Amino acid sequence: MATTDDESNPGQTTLELTRLDDGRWRATQAGVATERYGQTDALAAMDYCRRVAEGGDDE
């Protein structure tokens, strides 16, 4: 499990959601190679979390 650089919250992480120019959303996380996309922020986050849970890595 990846964690943030903020060790005051061990076991927590931040998922970054970015709206792209084409209207889609990208979900990423510091220290994890996986990026997932969706038509909404929630769908991008859901797909990202599913991929990470399955042990997928885009690299």
mmCIF file of all heavy atoms in Angstrom:
data_model
loop_
_atom_site.group_PDB
_atom_site.id
_atom_site.type_symbol
_atom_site.label_atom_id
_atom_site.label_comp_id
_atom_site.label_asym_id
_atom_site.label_seq_id
_atom_site.Cartn_x
_atom_site.Cartn_y
_atom_site.Cartn_z
ATOM 1 N N MET A 1 0.844 -1.173 0.000
ATOM 2 C CA MET A 1 0.000 0.000 0.000
ATOM 3 C C MET A 1 0.888 1.234 0.000
ATOM 4 O O MET A 1 1.810 1.338 0.766
ATOM 5 C CB MET A 1 -0.905 0.004 1.238
ATOM 6 C CG MET A 1 -1.631 1.328 1.397
ATOM 7 S SD MET A 1 -2.449 1.523 2.986
ATOM 8 C CE MET A 1 -3.926 0.640 2.657
ATOM 9 N N ALA A 2 0.577 2.149 -0.877
ATOM 10 C CA ALA A 2 1.328 3.403 -0.916
ATOM 11 C C ALA A 2 0.788 4.355 0.140
ATOM 12 O O ALA A 2 -0.388 4.325 0.471
ATOM 13 C CB ALA A 2 1.199 4.045 -2.291
ATOM 14 N N THR A 3 1.661 5.146 0.677
ATOM 15 C CA THR A 3 1.242 6.153 1.654
ATOM 16 C C THR A 3 1.753 7.510 1.209
ATOM 17 O O THR A 3 2.637 7.607 0.370
ATOM 18 C CB THR A 3 1.773 5.842 3.064
ATOM 19 O OG1 THR A 3 3.192 5.807 3.010
ATOM 20 C CG2 THR A 3 1.234 4.516 3.583
ATOM 21 N N THR A 4 1.204 8.546 1.775
ATOM 22 C CA THR A 4 1.679 9.886 1.464
ATOM 23 C C THR A 4 2.983 10.150 2.188
ATOM 24 O O THR A 4 3.414 9.374 3.037
ATOM 25 C CB THR A 4 0.639 10.942 1.886
ATOM 26 O OG1 THR A 4 0.496 10.895 3.303
ATOM 27 C CG2 THR A 4 -0.695 10.707 1.217
ATOM 28 N N ASP A 5 3.601 11.265 1.857
ATOM 29 C CA ASP A 5 4.824 11.662 2.548
ATOM 30 C C ASP A 5 4.535 12.123 3.970
ATOM 31 O O ASP A 5 5.439 12.266 4.769
ATOM 32 C CB ASP A 5 5.522 12.796 1.792
ATOM 33 C CG ASP A 5 6.079 12.322 0.471
ATOM 34 O OD1 ASP A 5 6.334 11.114 0.336
ATOM 35 O OD2 ASP A 5 6.246 13.161 -0.425
ATOM 36 N N ASP A 6 3.283 12.368 4.290
ATOM 37 C CA ASP A 6 2.878 12.849 5.611
ATOM 38 C C ASP A 6 2.768 11.658 6.557
ATOM 39 O O ASP A 6 1.762 10.978 6.607
ATOM 40 C CB ASP A 6 1.549 13.579 5.529
ATOM 41 C CG ASP A 6 1.088 14.118 6.874
ATOM 42 O OD1 ASP A 6 1.830 13.982 7.863
ATOM 43 O OD2 ASP A 6 -0.011 14.671 6.935
ATOM 44 N N GLU A 7 3.820 11.383 7.292
ATOM 45 C CA GLU A 7 3.843 10.225 8.181
ATOM 46 C C GLU A 7 3.004 10.424 9.442
ATOM 47 O O GLU A 7 2.898 9.528 10.264
ATOM 48 C CB GLU A 7 5.285 9.864 8.544
ATOM 49 C CG GLU A 7 6.092 9.379 7.350
ATOM 50 C CD GLU A 7 5.493 8.163 6.652
ATOM 51 O OE1 GLU A 7 4.945 7.276 7.324
ATOM 52 O OE2 GLU A 7 5.567 8.112 5.414
ATOM 53 N N SER A 8 2.385 11.598 9.597
ATOM 54 C CA SER A 8 1.506 11.798 10.748
ATOM 55 C C SER A 8 0.200 11.030 10.584
ATOM 56 O O SER A 8 -0.555 10.879 11.530
ATOM 57 C CB SER A 8 1.219 13.288 10.957
ATOM 58 O OG SER A 8 0.492 13.807 9.852
ATOM 59 N N ASN A 9 -0.062 10.545 9.369
ATOM 60 C CA ASN A 9 -1.258 9.755 9.089
ATOM 61 C C ASN A 9 -0.854 8.424 8.457
ATOM 62 O O ASN A 9 -1.163 8.164 7.298
ATOM 63 C CB ASN A 9 -2.188 10.519 8.138
ATOM 64 C CG ASN A 9 -2.788 11.737 8.770
ATOM 65 O OD1 ASN A 9 -3.255 11.682 9.893
ATOM 66 N ND2 ASN A 9 -2.764 12.845 8.052
ATOM 67 N N PRO A 10 -0.169 7.557 9.196
ATOM 68 C CA PRO A 10 0.277 6.299 8.600
ATOM 69 C C PRO A 10 -0.909 5.477 8.096
ATOM 70 O O PRO A 10 -1.970 5.443 8.703
ATOM 71 C CB PRO A 10 1.008 5.599 9.747
ATOM 72 C CG PRO A 10 0.516 6.245 10.987
ATOM 73 C CD PRO A 10 0.127 7.643 10.617
ATOM 74 N N GLY A 11 -0.721 4.849 6.955
ATOM 75 C CA GLY A 11 -1.772 4.016 6.383
ATOM 76 C C GLY A 11 -2.764 4.787 5.539
ATOM 77 O O GLY A 11 -3.671 4.206 4.966
ATOM 78 N N GLN A 12 -2.616 6.095 5.448
ATOM 79 C CA GLN A 12 -3.512 6.890 4.612
ATOM 80 C C GLN A 12 -2.789 7.316 3.353
ATOM 81 O O GLN A 12 -1.570 7.434 3.323
ATOM 82 C CB GLN A 12 -4.003 8.121 5.371
ATOM 83 C CG GLN A 12 -4.909 7.766 6.519
ATOM 84 C CD GLN A 12 -5.484 9.012 7.175
ATOM 85 O OE1 GLN A 12 -5.244 10.120 6.749
ATOM 86 N NE2 GLN A 12 -6.260 8.809 8.207
ATOM 87 N N THR A 13 -3.542 7.547 2.311
ATOM 88 C CA THR A 13 -2.980 7.971 1.048
ATOM 89 C C THR A 13 -3.919 8.973 0.394
ATOM 90 O O THR A 13 -5.084 9.087 0.779
ATOM 91 C CB THR A 13 -2.728 6.760 0.129
ATOM 92 O OG1 THR A 13 -1.996 7.197 -1.000
ATOM 93 C CG2 THR A 13 -4.024 6.108 -0.294
ATOM 94 N N THR A 14 -3.418 9.668 -0.587
ATOM 95 C CA THR A 14 -4.227 10.636 -1.307
ATOM 96 C C THR A 14 -4.336 10.214 -2.755
ATOM 97 O O THR A 14 -3.324 9.944 -3.411
ATOM 98 C CB THR A 14 -3.578 12.034 -1.237
ATOM 99 O OG1 THR A 14 -3.485 12.416 0.131
ATOM 100 C CG2 THR A 14 -4.396 13.061 -1.990
ATOM 101 N N LEU A 15 -5.539 10.168 -3.259
ATOM 102 C CA LEU A 15 -5.803 9.880 -4.656
ATOM 103 C C LEU A 15 -5.990 11.226 -5.353
ATOM 104 O O LEU A 15 -6.762 12.061 -4.895
ATOM 105 C CB LEU A 15 -7.069 9.032 -4.779
ATOM 106 C CG LEU A 15 -7.396 8.458 -6.135
ATOM 107 C CD1 LEU A 15 -6.296 7.503 -6.588
ATOM 108 C CD2 LEU A 15 -8.719 7.727 -6.069
ATOM 109 N N GLU A 16 -5.249 11.455 -6.426
ATOM 110 C CA GLU A 16 -5.347 12.720 -7.145
ATOM 111 C C GLU A 16 -6.254 12.554 -8.358
ATOM 112 O O GLU A 16 -6.037 11.673 -9.188
ATOM 113 C CB GLU A 16 -3.966 13.179 -7.608
ATOM 114 C CG GLU A 16 -4.002 14.513 -8.316
ATOM 115 C CD GLU A 16 -2.625 15.003 -8.678
ATOM 116 O OE1 GLU A 16 -1.688 14.826 -7.895
ATOM 117 O OE2 GLU A 16 -2.512 15.571 -9.780
ATOM 118 N N LEU A 17 -7.273 13.392 -8.444
ATOM 119 C CA LEU A 17 -8.214 13.378 -9.566
ATOM 120 C C LEU A 17 -8.030 14.656 -10.357
ATOM 121 O O LEU A 17 -8.094 15.752 -9.806
ATOM 122 C CB LEU A 17 -9.648 13.273 -9.059
ATOM 123 C CG LEU A 17 -9.946 12.010 -8.244
ATOM 124 C CD1 LEU A 17 -11.274 12.123 -7.530
ATOM 125 C CD2 LEU A 17 -9.914 10.790 -9.148
ATOM 126 N N THR A 18 -7.817 14.510 -11.658
ATOM 127 C CA THR A 18 -7.562 15.650 -12.530
ATOM 128 C C THR A 18 -8.522 15.616 -13.708
ATOM 129 O O THR A 18 -8.628 14.586 -14.390
ATOM 130 C CB THR A 18 -6.117 15.601 -13.074
ATOM 131 O OG1 THR A 18 -5.211 15.480 -11.979
ATOM 132 C CG2 THR A 18 -5.793 16.829 -13.888
ATOM 133 N N ARG A 19 -9.202 16.736 -13.938
ATOM 134 C CA ARG A 19 -10.073 16.825 -15.108
ATOM 135 C C ARG A 19 -9.217 17.184 -16.317
ATOM 136 O O ARG A 19 -8.489 18.176 -16.306
ATOM 137 C CB ARG A 19 -11.162 17.863 -14.920
ATOM 138 C CG ARG A 19 -12.136 17.820 -16.080
ATOM 139 C CD ARG A 19 -13.382 18.550 -15.786
ATOM 140 N NE ARG A 19 -14.351 18.191 -16.806
ATOM 141 C CZ ARG A 19 -15.619 18.291 -16.660
ATOM 142 N NH1 ARG A 19 -16.130 18.746 -15.548
ATOM 143 N NH2 ARG A 19 -16.426 17.949 -17.637
ATOM 144 N N LEU A 20 -9.316 16.393 -17.368
ATOM 145 C CA LEU A 20 -8.525 16.586 -18.573
ATOM 146 C C LEU A 20 -9.247 17.501 -19.553
ATOM 147 O O LEU A 20 -10.459 17.734 -19.433
ATOM 148 C CB LEU A 20 -8.233 15.231 -19.227
ATOM 149 C CG LEU A 20 -7.552 14.211 -18.311
ATOM 150 C CD1 LEU A 20 -7.436 12.870 -19.010
ATOM 151 C CD2 LEU A 20 -6.189 14.715 -17.864
ATOM 152 N N ASP A 21 -8.531 18.012 -20.535
ATOM 153 C CA ASP A 21 -9.106 18.919 -21.520
ATOM 154 C C ASP A 21 -10.260 18.305 -22.305
ATOM 155 O O ASP A 21 -11.151 19.015 -22.754
ATOM 156 C CB ASP A 21 -8.033 19.404 -22.509
ATOM 157 C CG ASP A 21 -7.022 20.333 -21.849
ATOM 158 O OD1 ASP A 21 -7.350 20.931 -20.796
ATOM 159 O OD2 ASP A 21 -5.906 20.460 -22.386
ATOM 160 N N ASP A 22 -10.250 16.985 -22.470
ATOM 161 C CA ASP A 22 -11.318 16.327 -23.229
ATOM 162 C C ASP A 22 -12.535 16.002 -22.362
ATOM 163 O O ASP A 22 -13.476 15.364 -22.818
ATOM 164 C CB ASP A 22 -10.796 15.068 -23.925
ATOM 165 C CG ASP A 22 -10.348 13.981 -22.967
ATOM 166 O OD1 ASP A 22 -10.485 14.141 -21.733
ATOM 167 O OD2 ASP A 22 -9.824 12.955 -23.454
ATOM 168 N N GLY A 23 -12.518 16.416 -21.087
ATOM 169 C CA GLY A 23 -13.662 16.208 -20.198
ATOM 170 C C GLY A 23 -13.562 14.966 -19.335
ATOM 171 O O GLY A 23 -14.305 14.821 -18.372
ATOM 172 N N ARG A 24 -12.652 14.051 -19.684
ATOM 173 C CA ARG A 24 -12.473 12.856 -18.855
ATOM 174 C C ARG A 24 -11.723 13.222 -17.589
ATOM 175 O O ARG A 24 -11.143 14.282 -17.473
ATOM 176 C CB ARG A 24 -11.673 11.782 -19.599
ATOM 177 C CG ARG A 24 -12.357 11.180 -20.783
ATOM 178 C CD ARG A 24 -11.479 10.154 -21.473
ATOM 179 N NE ARG A 24 -10.160 10.719 -21.751
ATOM 180 C CZ ARG A 24 -9.015 10.016 -21.728
ATOM 181 N NH1 ARG A 24 -9.017 8.735 -21.467
ATOM 182 N NH2 ARG A 24 -7.853 10.605 -21.993
ATOM 183 N N TRP A 25 -11.738 12.282 -16.638
ATOM 184 C CA TRP A 25 -10.999 12.449 -15.385
ATOM 185 C C TRP A 25 -9.906 11.407 -15.323
ATOM 186 O O TRP A 25 -10.083 10.271 -15.776
ATOM 187 C CB TRP A 25 -11.934 12.282 -14.196
ATOM 188 C CG TRP A 25 -12.843 13.453 -14.030
ATOM 189 C CD1 TRP A 25 -14.008 13.685 -14.702
ATOM 190 C CD2 TRP A 25 -12.671 14.543 -13.132
ATOM 191 N NE1 TRP A 25 -14.561 14.857 -14.288
ATOM 192 C CE2 TRP A 25 -13.774 15.403 -13.312
ATOM 193 C CE3 TRP A 25 -11.706 14.874 -12.200
ATOM 194 C CZ2 TRP A 25 -13.919 16.575 -12.587
ATOM 195 C CZ3 TRP A 25 -11.851 16.042 -11.474
ATOM 196 C CH2 TRP A 25 -12.947 16.884 -11.668
ATOM 197 N N ARG A 26 -8.761 11.784 -14.742
ATOM 198 C CA ARG A 26 -7.640 10.861 -14.523
ATOM 199 C C ARG A 26 -7.439 10.701 -13.023
ATOM 200 O O ARG A 26 -7.435 11.680 -12.279
ATOM 201 C CB ARG A 26 -6.359 11.409 -15.146
ATOM 202 C CG ARG A 26 -5.149 10.511 -14.886
ATOM 203 C CD ARG A 26 -3.877 11.051 -15.490
ATOM 204 N NE ARG A 26 -3.562 12.342 -14.868
ATOM 205 C CZ ARG A 26 -3.049 13.367 -15.525
ATOM 206 N NH1 ARG A 26 -2.818 13.290 -16.820
ATOM 207 N NH2 ARG A 26 -2.777 14.484 -14.894
ATOM 208 N N ALA A 27 -7.282 9.470 -12.579
ATOM 209 C CA ALA A 27 -6.996 9.168 -11.174
ATOM 210 C C ALA A 27 -5.572 8.649 -11.083
ATOM 211 O O ALA A 27 -5.180 7.733 -11.817
ATOM 212 C CB ALA A 27 -7.972 8.132 -10.639
ATOM 213 N N THR A 28 -4.776 9.263 -10.202
ATOM 214 C CA THR A 28 -3.391 8.856 -9.976
ATOM 215 C C THR A 28 -3.100 8.906 -8.486
ATOM 216 O O THR A 28 -3.902 9.418 -7.696
ATOM 217 C CB THR A 28 -2.401 9.777 -10.716
ATOM 218 O OG1 THR A 28 -2.571 11.109 -10.236
ATOM 219 C CG2 THR A 28 -2.584 9.743 -12.205
ATOM 220 N N GLN A 29 -1.938 8.404 -8.130
ATOM 221 C CA GLN A 29 -1.518 8.393 -6.738
ATOM 222 C C GLN A 29 0.004 8.464 -6.703
ATOM 223 O O GLN A 29 0.676 7.781 -7.485
ATOM 224 C CB GLN A 29 -2.000 7.092 -6.087
ATOM 225 C CG GLN A 29 -1.698 6.947 -4.638
ATOM 226 C CD GLN A 29 -2.228 5.616 -4.102
ATOM 227 O OE1 GLN A 29 -2.550 4.715 -4.855
ATOM 228 N NE2 GLN A 29 -2.307 5.516 -2.808
ATOM 229 N N ALA A 30 0.547 9.281 -5.822
ATOM 230 C CA ALA A 30 2.002 9.405 -5.702
ATOM 231 C C ALA A 30 2.619 8.049 -5.380
ATOM 232 O O ALA A 30 2.119 7.311 -4.527
ATOM 233 C CB ALA A 30 2.353 10.414 -4.612
ATOM 234 N N GLY A 31 3.659 7.706 -6.093
ATOM 235 C CA GLY A 31 4.382 6.470 -5.824
ATOM 236 C C GLY A 31 3.777 5.221 -6.445
ATOM 237 O O GLY A 31 4.267 4.126 -6.221
ATOM 238 N N VAL A 32 2.708 5.375 -7.231
ATOM 239 C CA VAL A 32 2.063 4.235 -7.877
ATOM 240 C C VAL A 32 2.004 4.521 -9.373
ATOM 241 O O VAL A 32 1.561 5.592 -9.785
ATOM 242 C CB VAL A 32 0.635 3.997 -7.325
ATOM 243 C CG1 VAL A 32 -0.023 2.806 -8.004
ATOM 244 C CG2 VAL A 32 0.682 3.801 -5.813
ATOM 245 N N ALA A 33 2.459 3.582 -10.187
ATOM 246 C CA ALA A 33 2.539 3.803 -11.632
ATOM 247 C C ALA A 33 1.175 3.782 -12.323
ATOM 248 O O ALA A 33 1.050 4.251 -13.439
ATOM 249 C CB ALA A 33 3.450 2.757 -12.263
ATOM 250 N N THR A 34 0.166 3.267 -11.684
ATOM 251 C CA THR A 34 -1.151 3.117 -12.301
ATOM 252 C C THR A 34 -1.842 4.461 -12.490
ATOM 253 O O THR A 34 -1.830 5.309 -11.609
ATOM 254 C CB THR A 34 -2.037 2.195 -11.435
ATOM 255 O OG1 THR A 34 -1.414 0.917 -11.371
ATOM 256 C CG2 THR A 34 -3.422 2.043 -12.000
ATOM 257 N N GLU A 35 -2.455 4.635 -13.654
ATOM 258 C CA GLU A 35 -3.343 5.749 -13.955
ATOM 259 C C GLU A 35 -4.604 5.157 -14.551
ATOM 260 O O GLU A 35 -4.535 4.265 -15.386
ATOM 261 C CB GLU A 35 -2.732 6.699 -14.999
ATOM 262 C CG GLU A 35 -1.599 7.524 -14.517
ATOM 263 C CD GLU A 35 -1.164 8.550 -15.562
ATOM 264 O OE1 GLU A 35 -1.696 8.546 -16.690
ATOM 265 O OE2 GLU A 35 -0.289 9.355 -15.233
ATOM 266 N N ARG A 36 -5.754 5.639 -14.120
ATOM 267 C CA ARG A 36 -7.019 5.161 -14.686
ATOM 268 C C ARG A 36 -7.859 6.376 -15.051
ATOM 269 O O ARG A 36 -7.678 7.466 -14.504
ATOM 270 C CB ARG A 36 -7.762 4.257 -13.710
ATOM 271 C CG ARG A 36 -6.961 3.048 -13.243
ATOM 272 C CD ARG A 36 -6.315 2.249 -14.334
ATOM 273 N NE ARG A 36 -7.285 1.442 -15.062
ATOM 274 C CZ ARG A 36 -6.977 0.690 -16.099
ATOM 275 N NH1 ARG A 36 -5.753 0.648 -16.539
ATOM 276 N NH2 ARG A 36 -7.901 -0.011 -16.689
ATOM 277 N N TYR A 37 -8.802 6.176 -15.947
ATOM 278 C CA TYR A 37 -9.596 7.267 -16.498
ATOM 279 C C TYR A 37 -11.082 6.941 -16.427
ATOM 280 O O TYR A 37 -11.463 5.768 -16.412
ATOM 281 C CB TYR A 37 -9.206 7.502 -17.962
ATOM 282 C CG TYR A 37 -7.752 7.853 -18.107
ATOM 283 C CD1 TYR A 37 -6.792 6.860 -18.221
ATOM 284 C CD2 TYR A 37 -7.343 9.175 -18.096
ATOM 285 C CE1 TYR A 37 -5.450 7.180 -18.331
ATOM 286 C CE2 TYR A 37 -5.997 9.502 -18.202
ATOM 287 C CZ TYR A 37 -5.061 8.505 -18.325
ATOM 288 O OH TYR A 37 -3.734 8.817 -18.415
ATOM 289 N N GLY A 38 -11.896 7.981 -16.383
ATOM 290 C CA GLY A 38 -13.333 7.787 -16.380
ATOM 291 C C GLY A 38 -14.060 9.040 -16.847
ATOM 292 O O GLY A 38 -13.480 10.125 -16.877
ATOM 293 N N GLN A 39 -15.323 8.879 -17.190
ATOM 294 C CA GLN A 39 -16.136 10.015 -17.634
ATOM 295 C C GLN A 39 -16.488 10.949 -16.485
ATOM 296 O O GLN A 39 -16.835 12.105 -16.705
ATOM 297 C CB GLN A 39 -17.402 9.522 -18.334
ATOM 298 C CG GLN A 39 -17.120 8.812 -19.644
ATOM 299 C CD GLN A 39 -16.377 9.709 -20.636
ATOM 300 O OE1 GLN A 39 -16.719 10.865 -20.838
ATOM 301 N NE2 GLN A 39 -15.318 9.181 -21.241
ATOM 302 N N THR A 40 -16.412 10.446 -15.246
ATOM 303 C CA THR A 40 -16.616 11.269 -14.056
ATOM 304 C C THR A 40 -15.458 11.012 -13.099
ATOM 305 O O THR A 40 -14.734 10.017 -13.237
ATOM 306 C CB THR A 40 -17.935 10.937 -13.335
ATOM 307 O OG1 THR A 40 -17.846 9.612 -12.803
ATOM 308 C CG2 THR A 40 -19.142 11.045 -14.267
ATOM 309 N N ASP A 41 -15.305 11.897 -12.129
ATOM 310 C CA ASP A 41 -14.251 11.693 -11.139
ATOM 311 C C ASP A 41 -14.465 10.409 -10.356
ATOM 312 O O ASP A 41 -13.532 9.665 -10.086
ATOM 313 C CB ASP A 41 -14.106 12.896 -10.223
ATOM 314 C CG ASP A 41 -15.404 13.297 -9.534
ATOM 315 O OD1 ASP A 41 -16.492 12.810 -9.914
ATOM 316 O OD2 ASP A 41 -15.334 14.140 -8.628
ATOM 317 N N ALA A 42 -15.713 10.126 -10.031
ATOM 318 C CA ALA A 42 -16.024 8.920 -9.257
ATOM 319 C C ALA A 42 -15.707 7.652 -10.047
ATOM 320 O O ALA A 42 -15.181 6.685 -9.487
ATOM 321 C CB ALA A 42 -17.489 8.927 -8.837
ATOM 322 N N LEU A 43 -16.014 7.646 -11.344
ATOM 323 C CA LEU A 43 -15.723 6.466 -12.165
ATOM 324 C C LEU A 43 -14.219 6.263 -12.329
ATOM 325 O O LEU A 43 -13.731 5.130 -12.303
ATOM 326 C CB LEU A 43 -16.395 6.583 -13.531
ATOM 327 C CG LEU A 43 -17.913 6.434 -13.527
ATOM 328 C CD1 LEU A 43 -18.471 6.749 -14.912
ATOM 329 C CD2 LEU A 43 -18.320 5.045 -13.067
ATOM 330 N N ALA A 44 -13.469 7.353 -12.470
ATOM 331 C CA ALA A 44 -12.016 7.234 -12.563
ATOM 332 C C ALA A 44 -11.443 6.676 -11.261
ATOM 333 O O ALA A 44 -10.584 5.793 -11.275
ATOM 334 C CB ALA A 44 -11.396 8.594 -12.880
ATOM 335 N N ALA A 45 -11.924 7.184 -10.130
ATOM 336 C CA ALA A 45 -11.454 6.705 -8.826
ATOM 337 C C ALA A 45 -11.815 5.240 -8.619
ATOM 338 O O ALA A 45 -10.996 4.454 -8.128
ATOM 339 C CB ALA A 45 -12.044 7.554 -7.706
ATOM 340 N N MET A 46 -13.039 4.858 -9.001
ATOM 341 C CA MET A 46 -13.474 3.474 -8.845
ATOM 342 C C MET A 46 -12.604 2.537 -9.680
ATOM 343 O O MET A 46 -12.128 1.504 -9.191
ATOM 344 C CB MET A 46 -14.936 3.332 -9.266
ATOM 345 C CG MET A 46 -15.480 1.929 -9.136
ATOM 346 S SD MET A 46 -17.200 1.809 -9.652
ATOM 347 C CE MET A 46 -17.060 2.094 -11.406
ATOM 348 N N ASP A 47 -12.357 2.909 -10.934
ATOM 349 C CA ASP A 47 -11.535 2.074 -11.803
ATOM 350 C C ASP A 47 -10.107 1.995 -11.281
ATOM 351 O O ASP A 47 -9.481 0.934 -11.287
ATOM 352 C CB ASP A 47 -11.563 2.632 -13.222
ATOM 353 C CG ASP A 47 -10.987 1.667 -14.239
ATOM 354 O OD1 ASP A 47 -11.088 0.441 -14.044
ATOM 355 O OD2 ASP A 47 -10.431 2.144 -15.244
ATOM 356 N N TYR A 48 -9.580 3.108 -10.789
ATOM 357 C CA TYR A 48 -8.238 3.141 -10.218
ATOM 358 C C TYR A 48 -8.131 2.197 -9.019
ATOM 359 O O TYR A 48 -7.231 1.363 -8.944
ATOM 360 C CB TYR A 48 -7.871 4.570 -9.796
ATOM 361 C CG TYR A 48 -6.517 4.633 -9.153
ATOM 362 C CD1 TYR A 48 -5.379 4.824 -9.925
ATOM 363 C CD2 TYR A 48 -6.357 4.456 -7.784
ATOM 364 C CE1 TYR A 48 -4.126 4.845 -9.344
ATOM 365 C CE2 TYR A 48 -5.107 4.478 -7.197
ATOM 366 C CZ TYR A 48 -4.001 4.668 -7.983
ATOM 367 O OH TYR A 48 -2.754 4.673 -7.402
ATOM 368 N N CYS A 49 -9.055 2.330 -8.101
ATOM 369 C CA CYS A 49 -9.024 1.498 -6.884
ATOM 370 C C CYS A 49 -9.184 0.023 -7.221
ATOM 371 O O CYS A 49 -8.514 -0.827 -6.627
ATOM 372 C CB CYS A 49 -10.098 1.957 -5.905
ATOM 373 S SG CYS A 49 -9.756 3.581 -5.182
ATOM 374 N N ARG A 50 -10.036 -0.295 -8.174
ATOM 375 C CA ARG A 50 -10.207 -1.687 -8.594
ATOM 376 C C ARG A 50 -8.893 -2.216 -9.161
ATOM 377 O O ARG A 50 -8.465 -3.325 -8.825
ATOM 378 C CB ARG A 50 -11.318 -1.799 -9.636
ATOM 379 C CG ARG A 50 -11.550 -3.237 -10.098
ATOM 380 C CD ARG A 50 -12.636 -3.361 -11.154
ATOM 381 N NE ARG A 50 -13.890 -2.845 -10.662
ATOM 382 C CZ ARG A 50 -14.608 -1.905 -11.272
ATOM 383 N NH1 ARG A 50 -14.182 -1.369 -12.393
ATOM 384 N NH2 ARG A 50 -15.755 -1.512 -10.778
ATOM 385 N N ARG A 51 -8.249 -1.428 -10.000
ATOM 386 C CA ARG A 51 -6.997 -1.861 -10.625
ATOM 387 C C ARG A 51 -5.899 -2.097 -9.578
ATOM 388 O O ARG A 51 -5.192 -3.099 -9.622
ATOM 389 C CB ARG A 51 -6.543 -0.796 -11.638
ATOM 390 C CG ARG A 51 -5.261 -1.102 -12.317
ATOM 391 C CD ARG A 51 -5.438 -2.173 -13.347
ATOM 392 N NE ARG A 51 -4.206 -2.273 -14.123
ATOM 393 C CZ ARG A 51 -4.113 -2.946 -15.223
ATOM 394 N NH1 ARG A 51 -5.149 -3.591 -15.688
ATOM 395 N NH2 ARG A 51 -2.986 -3.001 -15.859
ATOM 396 N N VAL A 52 -5.775 -1.186 -8.632
ATOM 397 C CA VAL A 52 -4.775 -1.329 -7.571
ATOM 398 C C VAL A 52 -5.095 -2.549 -6.701
ATOM 399 O O VAL A 52 -4.207 -3.323 -6.345
ATOM 400 C CB VAL A 52 -4.668 -0.047 -6.741
ATOM 401 C CG1 VAL A 52 -3.797 -0.256 -5.516
ATOM 402 C CG2 VAL A 52 -4.100 1.096 -7.593
ATOM 403 N N ALA A 53 -6.365 -2.751 -6.369
ATOM 404 C CA ALA A 53 -6.766 -3.879 -5.535
ATOM 405 C C ALA A 53 -6.455 -5.216 -6.218
ATOM 406 O O ALA A 53 -6.125 -6.193 -5.550
ATOM 407 C CB ALA A 53 -8.255 -3.796 -5.212
ATOM 408 N N GLU A 54 -6.551 -5.233 -7.553
ATOM 409 C CA GLU A 54 -6.253 -6.455 -8.293
ATOM 410 C C GLU A 54 -4.754 -6.662 -8.474
ATOM 411 O O GLU A 54 -4.324 -7.662 -9.026
ATOM 412 C CB GLU A 54 -6.928 -6.394 -9.669
ATOM 413 C CG GLU A 54 -8.441 -6.462 -9.591
ATOM 414 C CD GLU A 54 -9.114 -6.200 -10.929
ATOM 415 O OE1 GLU A 54 -8.421 -5.783 -11.892
ATOM 416 O OE2 GLU A 54 -10.329 -6.379 -11.003
ATOM 417 N N GLY A 55 -3.952 -5.697 -8.009
ATOM 418 C CA GLY A 55 -2.513 -5.820 -8.117
ATOM 419 C C GLY A 55 -1.980 -5.371 -9.462
ATOM 420 O O GLY A 55 -0.849 -5.641 -9.799
ATOM 421 N N GLY A 56 -2.823 -4.661 -10.226
ATOM 422 C CA GLY A 56 -2.400 -4.192 -11.542
ATOM 423 C C GLY A 56 -1.442 -3.045 -11.441
ATOM 424 O O GLY A 56 -1.466 -2.259 -10.511
ATOM 425 N N ASP A 57 -0.565 -2.967 -12.413
ATOM 426 C CA ASP A 57 0.402 -1.885 -12.493
ATOM 427 C C ASP A 57 0.615 -1.599 -13.959
ATOM 428 O O ASP A 57 0.871 -2.490 -14.738
ATOM 429 C CB ASP A 57 1.717 -2.309 -11.831
ATOM 430 C CG ASP A 57 2.660 -1.155 -11.604
ATOM 431 O OD1 ASP A 57 2.572 -0.147 -12.344
ATOM 432 O OD2 ASP A 57 3.473 -1.251 -10.686
ATOM 433 N N ASP A 58 0.472 -0.360 -14.345
ATOM 434 C CA ASP A 58 0.562 -0.006 -15.755
ATOM 435 C C ASP A 58 1.976 0.004 -16.311
ATOM 436 O O ASP A 58 2.180 0.195 -17.481
ATOM 437 C CB ASP A 58 -0.084 1.368 -15.999
ATOM 438 C CG ASP A 58 -1.590 1.303 -15.871
ATOM 439 O OD1 ASP A 58 -2.139 0.185 -15.860
ATOM 440 O OD2 ASP A 58 -2.220 2.365 -15.774
ATOM 441 N N GLU A 59 2.964 -0.180 -15.457
ATOM 442 C CA GLU A 59 4.345 -0.220 -15.969
ATOM 443 C C GLU A 59 4.787 -1.654 -16.128
ATOM 444 O O GLU A 59 4.437 -2.532 -15.431
ATOM 445 C CB GLU A 59 5.292 0.501 -15.010
ATOM 446 C CG GLU A 59 5.183 1.979 -15.144
ATOM 447 C CD GLU A 59 6.345 2.694 -14.471
ATOM 448 O OE1 GLU A 59 6.894 2.198 -13.487
ATOM 449 O OE2 GLU A 59 6.681 3.775 -14.948
#
